Amino acid sequence: MNAHNNVSRRALLTGGLATGFLLAFHLPLRAAVNEPVQPEDKTDGKFAPNAFIRIDPEGATTLVMPQVEMGQGIYTAISMILAEELDADWSKVQLLHAPANEKLYGNPIFIIQATGGSTSVRAFWKPLREAGASARAMLVQAAAAQWGVDPASCTTSKGEVTHKASGRTVSYGALAAAAAGQTPPKTPALKDPKDFVYIGQPFKRLDTPDKVNGKAVYGIDAIVPDMKFATLAQCPVFGGKVGKVDDRAAKKIPGVRKIVVLDDLVAVVGDHMWAAKKGLDALDIEWNEGPNAKINSKAIWDDLRAASAKDGVVAKSTGDIAKGLASGENFEASFELPFLAHATMEPLNATVHCKPDSCEIWTGTQIMARVQSEAAKAAGLPVEKVIVNNHLLGGGFGRKLEPDMVVAAVRIAKQVDGPVKVVWTREEDIQHDVYRPVYRDTIAASLSGGKIVGWKYKITGAAIIARWLPPAFQKGIDIDAIDSATDVPYEIPNVHVEYVRAEPPAIPTGFWRGVGPNNNVFAVECFIDELARKAGKDPVEFRRGMLANQPRFLSVLNLAAEKANWGQPLPARVGRGVCLQPSFGSFIATVVEAEVDEQGEINLRRATSVVDTGIAVNPDTIVAQVEGGLIFGLTAALYGEITIEKGRVQQSNFNDYRMLRINQTPKIEVHVVKSGEAPGGIGETGTTAGPPALRNAIYAATGVALRRLPIDRKLLAAGRKA
Amino acid sequence: MHMATTLTINGETKSFDAPPEMPLLWVLRDILGMTGTKFGCGIAQCGACTVHVDGKAVRSCVLPVSAVENRAITTIEAVGNTPSGAKVQKAWLEAEVIQCGYCQSGQIMSAAALLASTPKPDDSDIDAAMAGNICRCGTYVRIREAIKQAANGRQS
Ligand code: FES
Ligand code: FES
C-alpha cells in the first residue's frame, strides 16, 4: 500500500543509526538445536556503528534484520543491500532477528515495526544502503589513519580495506576496534548502481539450508524447559462468551493438567498437544452466543450492497465525470469479493512464560513492537518487562500483523505456573481468523471511438487502516482500500473514484496478502476486458491504446503478450486472459491460459508474468515470489470463500477451505525486466495478478463474464451464458 | 499411567510414556523434542507431518504410536542419511525451492519416498506422490523441477 503518501514520515535514519548499547534478544538463525535462552546482542568489543551491523575482531559480520522472514526471502535481500554498501565478505555474514524496538527497527513507511504491504525493500532501501556505506566509510577512515594515507586513496572489497599504492590490505575484523572510534560521515557516499557486485545477482538464500533438514526453528518449535502445552477454543460465534463449562470428563484424560476458563475462551493445558486436544474435545462448554448468533452471509451481502448504493468519499476526481459519462455509450458492472482466511501453513501459536514481574514470549510475528506492547497490557506489566523472541514465520500473509494469538496466549499463561506453548488447531485458526473483508465495487464507464472517456469507480468495504494504523486514516479514506484504484495505468480523460466505508458486523477483518490492490485490480482489469469486448477490440490491443504515455507498463504488457503467445490459436474452451497492474510500486503484466471443461471445472494450463520492479535486489527471489503469489491468488479465485451462518464460520480445515495442489499447478514463467529505477515491492504482486488474469481467460474461453469470486462452476458449465 | 512405548526413530531406540492412540506427530514434537516434523492440519490433508515408516511416506498426525512399534521410522532430521533424501535436499537447495519452509519437511519426505520407489518419476508420478502436500507459499513449480533434477542427478 502506498501509506507514505498520507503518513508523515519519521526520519528512520536518526533512530536507525543510533549507536550505543542495544538490548536485544534473538535466536541465532543457524542454531543447530532449540535454544531456550536467547543470547543478547552484545555489541561490546565489536564495531557496531548502527542498529544493523556488528563486526567482531575475527571479522564475523552480524546483520540485524529489521524485517521478518516469512518466506519472502527478505533476510537475504536485506543482507545483500547492507553487504553491498559495506563491501562485506558474504561468507562471513550471519543474521539476527531484530528485537522489539520501534525506534531502531520501525518500518519507515508504516512508522511502526511491521513487515507487510510489500514494503520491505522499498522502505529500507535507502536507510540500509546508508547504514552500510556509513560503516564502510568508518572502516576506511580507521585504515587510512593507521597507514597515514588519504582515505580517498583506499578501496574496499569483500571485508578488506586496500591501499593499492603501498600494497597494504587490512581486514574489517582487524579494524573493528579502531573503526568504532571513528566519526560517521554526515552523508555517506552511496555506490553507483553500475558498481554493484551483490545487488542484482541471483544469490542463494541464507535461510534455506536449515529448512531442508528440520533445523530451522519457527515459533511453534520453541522449546522452553518444563513447558506445558495448551490448545484453546474461543466462542464459535464472534463476540460470544463462555457460559458453563463441565470439565469432569476432560480432567480424567491422562496428561491433562489444567483447564483455563476465561470470559471468552477455554484452554486445556497438558503434557503435550495431544492431551490438550483430547481434553478440549472432552469439555462440555455452553457458550453465551450473544447477539451475533443471528449474523449470516446473506445479511452481510445485503448490507454491503445497500451501502454500495450510497455516495462515498471522493478519493480522486479528474476531468469532468458527468461530461465524460455523457459523451459515450455507457456500461456498468459490479464486482464482489468474499471473506478469506489466511491459513498460514504454521498454525497460530505463542509460547509464554508469565512470572509476577516479567513475561517472556516465543513466537513468529510481523509486528514485534506491537506484540510486545499488547502482551504487556494483557500481562499487566510495563512494556520493558516483556521480552519477545521472534522466530522464522511459517507464512504470514498479513495474519501475523495482528497480536491476538499472542494476547490470548499471555492471558492463558497468566493462569499457568511455568511456561506454556499455546497452539491453535487448524480449525480454530480458520474459524477465528482476522479475515480479508468482503468488498463490492461498482464501475460505470463510457466508450467513445473505441476508447474509455469516462470512468466512475466506487469501492465499498471495511477500512482496515482505520483500526490498524489510525493516523493514516484521514478524511474518511482508507488509503489501502483505494490502492490501485486511484492510479490505474490507463489514460482516461474523466475519472472519478469514491470510497464507502462499510464494516461487516462482528466479523474481524484485516490485511491479507495483496491487501487493497487484490480487490481493485480484480474489478478494474475484469471490467477493462468487458469494455474491450464492447469496443470490439482484442484485450491487449485495447489496453495498449491507453498506454501511450506509460512506457514501463507498455513494455511489460508487450513482452507478456509475446512470451505467452498472445493471439495464437487455442483449442475450444481454452482462453488467455491478461492483467496489468500498478500495485506496490512495480509494473507487472500477467497472462493466464486456462481451459474450462463441460462441467465448468478449470484446468490451469499456463501463467506468464513480466515484472518490472526497478532494481531487482535478488532476481531469483523476485521470480519465486511472483510464482508463489500467483498460486496464492489462483487458489483464492478457484476456492477461497469464508461463509458465515448463525454467527459462525462454516469452513474449518483444508478439506473445506481448499488449497491449490501440485497436480493443479500450471506451468509458470516469470520474466524480470532489467531496470535501473528504484526498487518496487514484490511479495504480493502475483497474488493480485492471478485472479483477474484467470477470470479474463475464462471470459475468453466461454464468453461468461464472472463478476464474483470464487469462480462459480455452475455458471461455466457448457451452454450457460451470463 | 501408560506402558512405556519403544520406537526406532532414525536408527535410535526411544522409550517414553504415551497413550497408545497418541499420534506419532505429537510424540516426535512434544515428547522427544524433534520439531522438524510439522503440524499443519491434524487430519491428513496437508502432508506437513510426513515421515517415513519402513521407507514409505505416511502422515504422522493420524498415525497412532501403537501402530509403529517395531517399524523403522525416519524423520526429516535424518532423511539426509538416505541416498534419495540426500539427493532431494541437494536439489531443493539448488533449485531454491523453499520460501517460508514450513511445509518443506513434509515435501522433502514425500519426494524422498517417491524417488526411493520410483527413481525416474514422470509428471504423473510426481502428481500422485506430492498432491497430498500443501504448500501455502506456492512452491509447486520448483518442487516439480527439483524432483526431476534429483532424479537426473543434475546440478541445475
Ligand atoms: S498435519 Fe498431518 S497431514 Fe496435515
Ligand atoms: S514454503 Fe511456505 S508453505 Fe511451503
Side-chain angles (χ1 to χ4, degrees):
Chain A
M1 69 202 77
N2 292 316
H4 54 279
N5 293 340
N6 295 50
V7 182
S8 69
R9 277 181 185 235
R10 183 183 54 79
L12 174 100
L13 208 59
T14 339
L17 295 182
T19 28
F21 181 72
L22 178 68
L23 188 66
F25 298 85
H26 56 81
L27 276 177
L29 198 65
R30 286 167 187 277
V33 291
N34 268 291
E35 289 283 343
V37 179
Q38 317 315 320
E40 293 170 22
D41 170 19
K42 287 218 174 73
T43 53
D44 36 318
K46 292 180 188 160
F47 174 47
N50 52 52
F52 310 113
I53 296 169
R54 282 101 188 75
I55 300 175
D56 77 5
E58 282 71 52
T61 303
T62 302
L63 305 177
V64 185
M65 299 290 111
Q67 297 278 275
V68 305
E69 180 59 66
M70 44 192 173
Q72 79 282 42
I74 198 62
Y75 274 14
T76 309
I78 285 174
S79 302
M80 288 170 74
I81 298 168
L82 283 167
E84 178 71 65
E85 293 288 353
L86 178 60
D87 271 335
D89 180 348
W90 188 251
S91 69
K92 296 210 167 121
V93 165
Q94 303 174 355
L95 309 186
L96 292 184
H97 304 297
N101 189 326
E102 207 123 78
K103 205 169 140 228
L104 293 177
Y105 302 109
N107 179 317
I109 289 179
F110 299 126
I111 303 170
I112 72 169
Q113 189 177 352
T115 306
S118 301
T119 61
S120 296
V121 168
R122 285 184 288 165
F124 283 93
W125 174 242
K126 192 155 172 269
L128 291 177
R129 287 183 71 195
E130 288 172 348
S134 177
R136 175 189 165 278
M138 291 163 78
L139 289 156
V140 168
Q141 286 163 26
Q146 257 173 35
W147 296 329
V149 303
D150 178 3
S153 64
C154 298
T155 57
T156 53
S157 171
K158 294 195 178 144
E160 290 179 335
V161 184
T162 298
H163 186 246
K164 261 228 183 83
S166 60
R168 282 175 293 190
T169 287
V170 59
S171 73
Y172 284 3
L175 289 167
Q182 297 291 325
T183 311
K186 275 207 185 71
T187 44
L190 301 181
K191 284 186 182 176
D192 185 323
K194 74 170 170 23
D195 298 326
F196 285 161
V197 287
Y198 296 153
I199 291 172
Q201 301 305 314
F203 265 39
K204 287 288 176 209
R205 290 172 56 147
L206 296 168
D207 59 327
T208 47
D210 278 353
K211 290 178 174 176
V212 299
N213 56 23
K215 284 184 186 162
V217 180
Y218 301 83
I220 203 169
D221 301 328
I223 293 179
V224 182
D226 300 322
M227 71 179 179
K228 295 272 181 274
F229 299 80
T231 193
L232 80 171
Q234 299 157 85
C235 181
V237 174
F238 293 104
K241 301 286 178 204
V242 178
K244 271 199 294 244
V245 179
D246 179 346
D247 62 7
R248 281 170 298 179
K251 279 187 165 154
K252 289 195 195 119
I253 291 178
V256 168
R257 297 294 165 196
K258 192 178 170 95
I259 319 288
V260 176
V261 180
L262 302 177
D263 68 330
D264 57 342
L265 67 84
V266 181
V268 176
V269 182
D271 292 343
H272 38 66
M273 179 70 170
W274 181 242
K277 221 164 127 65
K278 295 272 283 185
L280 198 67
D281 290 345
L283 284 178
D284 193 354
I285 309 171
E286 214 175 89
W287 300 100
N288 291 330
E289 297 182 347
N292 296 330
K294 290 195 211 73
I295 292 171
N296 60 58
S297 284
K298 189 187 168 301
I300 289 170
W301 280 109
D302 288 347
D303 286 354
L304 192 70
R305 286 171 194 146
S308 102
K310 296 184 202 147
D311 287 338
V313 184
V314 178
K316 173 178 181 160
S317 203
T318 55
D320 181 337
I321 189 62
K323 227 165 96 192
L325 289 179
S327 59
E329 193 182 352
N330 280 22
F331 301 96
E332 285 183 19
S334 52
F335 294 86
E336 295 180 341
L337 294 182
F339 288 120
L340 293 172
H342 297 80
T344 57
M345 207 68 219
E346 177 191 7
L348 299 181
N349 64 85
T351 300
V352 180
H353 191 181
C354 270
K355 297 178 196 162
D357 57 352
S358 69
C359 179
E360 186 161 5
I361 296 163
W362 296 261
T363 195
T365 178
Q366 296 174 248
I367 42 162
M368 278 293 280
R370 187 171 283 185
V371 153
Q372 185 191 35
S373 60
E374 292 295 318
K377 275 186 225 159
L381 290 168
V383 169
E384 62 276 10
K385 296 292 180 196
V386 175
I387 297 163
V388 185
N389 302 283
N390 209 10
H391 293 72
L392 296 169
L393 280 68
F397 315 126
R399 181 62 181 94
K400 294 163 189 174
L401 285 168
E402 304 293 340
D404 59 306
M405 70 299 282
V406 176
V407 170
V410 169
R411 292 171 62 218
I412 293 163
K414 278 173 76 179
Q415 312 296 320
V416 178
D417 286 332
V420 58
K421 179 190 287 191
V422 182
V423 174
W424 297 33
T425 61
R426 178 60 66 191
E427 289 77 8
E428 196 68 14
D429 174 288
I430 299 275
Q431 300 192 328
H432 288 279
D433 201 337
V434 177
Y435 302 91
R436 197 284 301 273
V438 286
Y439 286 106
R440 177 176 165 89
D441 309 303
T442 57
I443 315 182
S446 55
L447 276 177
S448 172
K451 297 227 178 214
I452 304 173
V453 292
W455 177 269
K456 187 173 179 184
Y457 183 81
K458 182 162 47 178
I459 304 141
T460 305
I464 302 166
I465 287 283
R467 173 181 65 80
W468 195 84
L469 196 62
F473 183 70
Q474 290 174 6
K475 299 184 182 139
I477 291 178
D478 183 304
I479 50 173
D480 172 52
I482 64 167
D483 191 351
S484 298
T486 47
D487 51 353
V488 295
Y490 311 114
E491 199 169 348
I492 302 172
N494 306 292
V495 173
H496 184 85
V497 178
E498 287 181 17
Y499 170 65
V500 178
R501 181 178 182 185
E503 302 290 340
I507 316 294
T509 58
F511 296 121
W512 189 90
R513 190 178 190 181
V515 293
N518 257 329
N519 172 48
N520 295 317
V521 172
F522 181 74
V524 169
E525 286 299 286
C526 291
F527 198 53
I528 290 285
D529 254 45
E530 293 187 33
L531 292 174
R533 188 166 292 210
K534 303 288 182 203
K537 291 203 173 151
D538 168 86
V540 168
E541 201 49 53
F542 185 63
R543 285 172 173 80
R544 269 186 200 133
M546 299 182 286
L547 293 170
N549 300 314
Q550 297 276 20
R552 292 177 80 185
F553 281 115
L554 194 56
S555 89
V556 292
L557 178 63
N558 284 337
L559 192 57
E562 180 197 318
K563 297 284 183 190
N565 305 329
W566 188 268
Q568 290 180 26
L570 288 170
R573 293 187 73 82
V574 177
R576 293 189 190 93
V578 66
C579 166
L580 186 66
Q581 61 180 20
S583 321
F584 311 108
S586 292
F587 301 75
I588 300 183
T590 299
V591 175
V592 166
E593 186 179 305
E595 177 182 6
V596 184
D597 76 12
E598 301 285 313
Q599 283 72 47
E601 271 308 319
I602 314 291
N603 170 25
L604 301 170
R605 289 162 53 107
R606 199 175 159 197
T608 311
S609 279
V610 175
V611 178
D612 172 356
T613 185
I615 292 172
V617 174
N618 190 357
D620 187 56
T621 299
I622 284 159
V623 171
Q625 281 302 291
V626 176
E627 289 169 354
L630 284 167
I631 298 289
F632 203 93
L634 292 168
T635 298
L638 288 173
Y639 303 116
E641 182 167 28
I642 290 291
T643 54
I644 312 290
E645 205 50 59
K646 297 197 175 124
R648 302 159 155 77
V649 167
Q650 292 182 288
Q651 293 70 31
S652 65
N653 204 322
F654 294 126
N655 57 322
D656 53 14
Y657 192 71
R658 286 182 65 183
M659 300 290 135
L660 201 75
R661 293 172 182 268
I662 195 170
N663 56 318
Q664 302 161 287
T665 298
K667 283 195 212 87
I668 301 180
E669 271 173 59
V670 179
H671 303 271
V672 179
V673 173
K674 275 242 182 303
S675 166
E677 303 286 335
I682 206 70
E684 298 168 281
T685 53
T687 301
T688 304
L694 171 59
R695 180 274 190 186
N696 289 340
I698 292 168
Y699 187 37
T702 63
V704 178
L706 296 171
R707 289 176 178 165
R708 296 195 85 194
L709 290 181
I711 287 157
D712 183 348
R713 276 91 175 151
K714 288 197 291 291
L715 291 176
L716 299 177
R720 290 289 303 257
K721 290 272 174 197
Chain B
M1 285 298 284
H2 327 289
M3 299 230 292
T5 307
T6 301
L7 297 182
T8 308
I9 303 173
N10 300 332
E12 287 174 35
T13 304
K14 308 260 186 190
S15 289
F16 49 86
D17 268 353
E21 80 287 359
M22 182 167 170
L24 176 63
L25 170 66
W26 301 114
V27 170
L28 291 171
R29 290 186 56 83
D30 293 356
I31 295 182
L32 302 175
M34 298 173 70
T35 55
T37 304
K38 303 304 188 199
F39 164 53
C41 68
I43 57 165
Q45 282 285 315
C46 78
C49 63
T50 306
V51 299
H52 294 176
V53 175
D54 294 338
K56 294 218 165 52
V58 294
R59 312 295 182 222
S60 67
C61 68
V62 291
L63 186 67
V65 274
S66 57
V68 287
E69 285 179 281
N70 309 316
R71 314 275 294 275
I73 299 161
T74 307
T75 68
I76 187 69
E77 285 88 352
V79 77
N81 300 334
T82 69
S84 67
K87 268 195 260 178
V88 167
Q89 286 175 330
K90 183 160 171 281
W92 245 239
L93 292 174
E94 291 290 342
E96 201 74 283
V97 169
I98 300 173
Q99 294 189 24
C100 85
Y102 192 81
C103 74
Q104 298 292 346
S105 294
Q107 305 281 2
I108 288 168
M109 295 309 284
S110 291
L114 166 66
L115 286 185
S117 65
T118 313
K120 299 278 173 204
D122 62 17
D123 280 325
S124 63
D125 296 326
I126 294 174
D127 283 347
M130 304 301 295
N133 288 81
I134 291 172
C135 175
R136 187 63 168 137
C137 297
T139 62
Y140 302 124
V141 172
R142 292 181 185 221
I143 288 173
R144 185 181 302 280
E145 183 186 310
I147 290 174
K148 290 180 179 173
Q149 276 180 29
N152 296 328
R154 271 196 293 120
Q155 308 237 333
S156 87

